[in-house]
Amino acid sequence: MADIERHDYDVIVIGAGGAGLRAAIEARSRGLRTAVVCKSLFGKAHTVMAEGGIAASMGNVNSRDNWQVHYRDTMRGGKFLNNWRMAELHAKEAPQRVWELETYGALFDRTPEGKISQRNFGGHEYPRLAHVGDRTGLELIRTLQQKIVSLQQEDHAEHGDYEARLRVYPECTVTELLLDEGRIAGAFAYWRENGRFLRLEAPTVVLATGGIGKSFKVTSNSWEYTGDGHALALRAGANLIDMEFVQFHPTGMVYPPSVKGILVTESVRGDGGVLRDAEGRRFMFDYVPEVFKGSYADSEQEADGWYSDPDNNRRPPELLPRDEVARAINSEVKEGRGSPHGGVYLDVASRLPAEEIARRLPSMHHQFKELADVDITAESMEVGPTCHYVMGGVEVDPDTAASGVAGLFAAGEAAGGMHGSNRLGGNSLGDLLVFGKRAGAGAAEYVAGLGARPEVSQADVEAAEQRALRPFEESGSAAAQHPYALHGELQQVMNELVGIIRRGEEMSSALDELAELKDRAGHMAVFEGNRQFNPAWHLTLDVANMLLVSECVARAALRRTESRGGHTRDDHPGMDATWRRRQLVCEHRDGAVTVTERTHPPMRRDLLELFDITELRKYFTADELGEVTAEL
Ligand code: FAD
């Protein structure tokens, strides 16, 4: 135990993506001694991969945009299952968070009049995504990091120490949350480089650990997306909600195999790109669902007219929410109208001049040239669905981001509720800024109201150390299991049996297979090497988290007997209004995952009034409609 580093803070932020950095800035600005712990290099969080932009109704390109329209779009995208208070806060506050980024030094693309430029994206009624080419996430992280550095310089000026109130622990993984009688007391972590352990003490933890995509074989997600925050929260006693809703982005690369799943940004379609089948037909006109009929064009002429005259034409169906487009692509491929490598064609080459494509979509141009030897200014791209985002996450209070465990907060992709059954593109970057800030503020308020600080128990630290080292002990055992093999099997199970199109019996067999993998995972071993940068050891810890979170996804998906948003059941096609207000809650008790149903609270009256009753009729049950009409 002698070699365990020990540090003391007011708040530990786990994760240095957009949510974590914004939370840390807020906490530090409110005077808290703040640690930021991230398993990636500082500046390399998943957020840097974000391409299209940040959704915020600034109205710079269409002055009719406002928070109410954004709110409506978000609720429609989530098929009315969203936590409406979160959607409201997000729609209201995202513009302020974008302007604030400018004050931190962000350089957005501009309109001809010099305002922040905003682009079209699926499901957003007006051009709404503030962007920096197709590298928005990189600029967002660069800017937030710059702000952190400036705060550290202030601390140096005041205390003679850059890290007096804000320290970053890069390449450092948290394996456990430490509790004192049910309250957060700290976190246990290790340095990835040398395998040495850390005991971080603090009364608050903000989970900003991102998503779970690495549990699936085909994914746009980076290596860090192993559901650590989701698993840490569950084990500490917090609830996860909406875990059945996993977003499959319609356009990932499908070829060559080594790059399968890498994202092709929605900006390609936002900027005019269209989807075609093997015959060159624009098939999306066949897939406009009943709830969206009336808002989308039914001819190519009208769809094309929308780009230059959105007031007199309806939107192209290529810009339907992601779940609709992903399902449509899946059907085309299944019907034998796909491309040679099992996708469809995304064509921007015939739609925009080559120099315009290279200017607006530089990363896509580079990505296809380098990885697939395809010149997107001259040829179509082959694309297909890829696991992209998890709508489910830690259940939090919308205003403070507090979970059900005292002192534990969550924001960004790790938190659930905001996006309902399906996230609109661009709403994640808005989400992580709005709720990152709120989580930092929530933690500060909690600390201010705290009496005696919780204490870390030595026994808990020793137990955490023992658990982390167990894969070394297993190496000699006859039952030893290889983490890479287990990870591969897990990804296969999730992709094939709990993927984009689901069936009851397949998910039941997925649960059997997950149980078997869980048993074997108890014997995961490192086999070679010691604690110094040892990826196999790191993976043993990640796989345990992925298995726990995957079980939540599979159990919740089996329970929800309807299709809605990111959850599509072949055996229960179509939305069932009786499920709309029902939310599935995952808990971890005595080592087992349980799923229970809960009813969403009814939407506040002034928010209900933003919708036409004919639209609500498409989603609500007759009883609910009765309540609503009485209300209105
Ligand atoms: P992240 O940015 O993923 O940060 C997670 C952090 O947690 C990392 O620092 C990681 O190292 C750390 N971490 C994880 N586990 C641990 C642990 N155990 N211990 C310590 N640290 C840990 N959204 C949009 O709104 N607009 C877009 O244009 C857009 N484009 C996208 C393009 C791509 C290719 C992808 C994959 C996603 C895109 N998204 C987009 C989604 C969006 O980027 C993510 O949802 C968002 O960045 C998540 O941010 P976050 O702050 O929640 O987490």
Side-chain angles (χ1 to χ4, degrees):
M1 296 299 296
D3 64 348
I4 295 188
E5 274 180 51
R6 187 170 169 170
H7 303 278
D8 186 46
Y9 291 97
D10 296 318
V11 56
I12 302 164
V13 177
I14 310 179
L21 294 187
R22 189 61 193 81
I25 289 166
E26 195 62 23
R28 154 64 186 80
S29 301
R30 289 168 183 250
L32 296 196
R33 290 171 306 124
T34 305
V36 180
V37 187
C38 55
K39 67 183 191 181
S40 48
L41 283 166
F42 192 45
K44 290 282 280 180
H46 192 81
T47 299
V48 292
M49 291 162 73
E51 294 163 351
I54 312 168
S57 61
M58 296 182 289
N60 289 352
V61 175
N62 190 324
S63 59
R64 284 200 270 187
D65 203 8
N66 55 43
W67 78 260
Q68 290 92 337
V69 186
H70 192 179
Y71 174 76
R72 276 201 299 262
D73 289 345
T74 301
M75 294 299 293
R76 285 174 187 144
K79 303 269 169 25
F80 281 75
L81 204 107
N82 319 52
N83 178 311
W84 47 261
R85 174 66 177 156
M86 288 176 97
E88 177 196 11
L89 289 170
H90 174 253
K92 283 182 171 165
E93 293 176 9
Q96 294 154 37
R97 297 286 74 79
V98 173
W99 285 314
E100 174 184 77
L101 275 186
E102 270 207 313
T103 70
Y104 295 174
L107 295 168
F108 289 100
D109 288 357
R110 320 301 298 187
T111 64
E113 316 83 70
K115 295 178 182 169
I116 293 176
S117 176
Q118 298 191 267
R119 66 159 42 116
N120 288 305
F121 241 55
H124 293 282
E125 188 164 340
Y126 298 119
R128 189 176 283 149
L129 269 70
H131 58 96
V132 184
D134 55 4
R135 295 176 182 141
T136 311
L138 185 63
E139 181 68 354
L140 189 150
I141 289 293
R142 184 194 71 76
T143 309
L144 293 178
Q145 273 186 268
Q146 201 58 41
K147 179 69 182 172
I148 295 233
V149 169
S150 83
L151 289 170
Q152 287 178 321
Q153 284 176 344
E154 278 177 24
D155 283 345
H156 184 252
E158 202 177 319
H159 302 280
D161 176 5
Y162 291 105
E163 294 176 335
R165 284 184 295 182
L166 183 49
R167 177 172 171 190
V168 178
Y169 292 78
E171 295 198 284
C172 184
T173 301
V174 171
T175 62
E176 303 214 14
L177 299 179
L178 303 168
L179 301 175
D180 178 7
E181 293 183 356
R183 296 187 303 164
I184 287 292
F188 185 81
Y190 69 94
W191 291 108
R192 297 174 76 83
E193 191 183 359
N194 57 25
R196 290 168 68 105
F197 292 120
L198 294 95
R199 163 185 180 154
L200 299 166
E201 301 194 13
T204 62
V205 164
V206 176
L207 291 171
T209 46
I212 66 163
K214 278 294 170 193
S215 305
F216 291 80
K217 191 171 165 195
V218 179
T219 178
S220 64
N221 290 180
S222 64
W223 66 272
E224 308 144 88
Y225 265 31
T226 53
D228 294 7
H230 290 71
L232 288 169
L234 258 188
R235 286 200 210 97
N239 294 339
L240 300 187
I241 52 169
D242 299 340
M243 289 305 289
E244 66 274 37
F245 298 114
V246 175
Q247 181 169 81
F248 293 85
H249 192 291
T251 61
M253 292 179 81
V254 295
Y255 188 80
S258 57
V259 298
K260 193 166 178 169
I262 291 184
L263 194 75
V264 180
T265 175
E266 194 166 321
S267 320
V268 178
R269 281 172 287 134
D271 288 357
V274 294
L275 292 162
R276 299 186 193 279
D277 66 14
E279 310 271 275
R281 213 172 63 86
R282 273 176 76 174
F283 57 83
M284 279 307 301
F285 292 97
D286 304 339
Y287 292 96
V288 181
E290 208 44 50
V291 287
F292 290 120
K293 283 223 163 90
S295 310
Y296 286 81
D298 51 22
S299 73
E300 289 195 28
Q301 194 189 13
E302 184 184 8
D304 288 348
W306 176 82
Y307 288 98
S308 53
D309 183 8
D311 294 341
N312 294 306
N313 293 287
R314 287 169 301 170
R315 305 164 60 73
E318 283 86 359
L319 290 180
L320 277 160
R322 290 175 173 174
D323 52 329
E324 311 291 354
V325 185
R327 270 192 295 272
I329 294 177
N330 203 66
S331 301
E332 286 295 299
V333 175
K334 218 164 134 192
E335 296 296 321
R337 293 189 290 270
S339 66
H341 300 104
V344 294
Y345 293 104
L346 175 58
D347 164 30
V348 71
S350 74
R351 312 268 304 163
L352 291 175
E355 56 285 2
E356 185 79 345
I357 297 172
R359 186 180 67 76
R360 290 204 209 182
L361 302 164
S363 298
M364 286 304 106
H365 187 227
H366 181 79
Q367 179 174 311
F368 272 88
K369 196 78 204 119
E370 290 297 311
L371 301 179
D373 197 24
V374 167
D375 177 1
I376 68 165
T377 66
E379 303 161 75
S380 291
M381 303 160 239
E382 271 186 77
V383 295
T386 178
C387 172
H388 185 59
Y389 186 89
V390 61
M391 273 68 75
V394 182
E395 182 178 35
V396 289
D397 173 74
D399 291 79
T400 61
S403 76
V405 172
L408 183 63
F409 298 77
E413 197 167 336
M418 156 72 203
H419 306 285
S421 68
N422 173 54
R423 172 180 73 95
L424 293 186
N427 269 4
S428 173
L429 295 188
D431 165 358
L432 55 84
L433 291 171
V434 167
F435 295 104
K437 175 178 158 66
R438 282 185 169 272
E445 275 160 33
Y446 176 84
V447 170
L450 202 63
R453 280 170 80 100
E455 284 180 22
V456 168
S457 106
Q458 182 63 19
D460 286 350
V461 173
E462 283 168 22
E465 182 183 20
Q466 259 175 19
R467 276 190 290 270
L469 290 175
R470 188 151 167 217
F472 288 101
E473 287 155 25
E474 287 288 339
S475 293
S477 113
Q481 296 286 323
H482 212 297
Y484 291 98
L486 280 183
H487 187 204
E489 287 177 55
L490 166 66
Q491 289 182 316
Q492 193 73 27
V493 169
M494 293 306 285
N495 227 76
E496 298 303 318
L497 305 178
V498 201
I500 177 163
I501 308 290
R502 300 165 171 173
R503 296 187 63 79
E505 67 263 31
E506 289 182 354
M507 289 185 283
S508 297
S509 49
L511 282 166
D512 292 342
E513 296 202 34
L514 290 174
E516 195 228 308
L517 288 172
K518 203 165 149 189
D519 281 347
R520 286 165 55 200
H523 300 287
M524 271 188 295
V526 177
F527 291 102
E528 273 182 48
N530 52 31
R531 281 163 59 181
Q532 283 174 340
F533 197 85
N534 192 328
W537 178 38
H538 304 168
L539 189 62
T540 59
L541 304 169
D542 295 343
V543 166
N545 292 332
M546 284 186 273
L547 277 167
L548 181 57
V549 172
S550 296
E551 186 182 342
C552 293
V553 174
R555 282 198 188 286
L558 182 61
R559 184 79 169 259
R560 184 173 282 274
T561 48
E562 64 152 356
S563 295
R564 183 183 294 271
H567 173 63
T568 305
R569 289 201 48 167
D570 220 14
D571 49 353
H572 293 280
M575 272 192 295
D576 174 349
T578 59
W579 267 105
R580 193 197 63 77
R581 274 178 70 185
R582 283 192 268 169
Q583 183 162 52
L584 297 177
V585 181
C586 297
E587 290 169 86
H588 191 243
R589 294 266 156 82
D590 304 322
V593 172
T594 59
V595 180
T596 47
E597 278 179 32
R598 158 127 44 84
T599 308
H600 269 294
M603 202 189 293
R604 226 178 44 227
R605 185 194 162 116
D606 57 311
L607 296 175
L608 263 179
E609 283 172 352
L610 297 175
F611 297 93
D612 195 280
I613 191 77
T614 51
E615 177 162 24
L616 297 180
R617 210 166 273 141
K618 297 175 184 172
Y619 297 94
F620 285 37
T621 60
D623 282 356
E624 274 181 276
L625 273 176
E627 285 167 31
V628 167
T629 30
E631 203 31 36
L632 297 180

